[in-house]
Amino acid sequence: MTCPPILYRRRLRMKTYVDEKQLRMVGKVWEIRATLRSWSKKELTLQEYLARRTRSGRR
């Protein structure tokens, strides 16, 4: 009888750079995919996200 695999939570170390008209993600593929999946669950377009981030002064 084999034991089920242990799932470890991975820590994201990617970087996200936001400007008025662009979003740049730097990291490993699985990190970027995980981030995009979590963002896709929100009802917010990329254009709205960029407008909110740049308006609030967060970078």
Side-chain angles (χ1 to χ4, degrees):
M1 185 168 153
T2 60
C3 296
I6 299 173
L7 300 176
Y8 293 98
R9 215 169 229 224
R10 295 179 178 175
R11 184 175 171 200
L12 298 179
R13 296 178 185 215
M14 61 171 278
K15 292 181 173 67
T16 305
Y17 301 99
V18 179
D19 198 6
E20 291 179 17
K21 296 184 180 182
Q22 70 179 356
L23 170 70
R24 186 178 315 138
M25 298 175 143
V26 178
K28 297 187 177 183
V29 174
W30 66 265
E31 294 170 324
I32 294 172
R33 283 183 182 163
T35 303
L36 291 174
R37 276 193 194 107
S38 69
W39 288 1
S40 70
K41 295 175 185 173
K42 300 174 184 172
E43 294 184 15
L44 188 65
T45 64
L46 179 59
Q47 187 175 12
E48 293 169 342
Y49 174 78
L50 294 175
R52 288 184 185 184
R53 288 282 301 227
T54 55
R55 226 180 312 145
S56 66
R58 292 169 41 185
R59 289 195 179 211

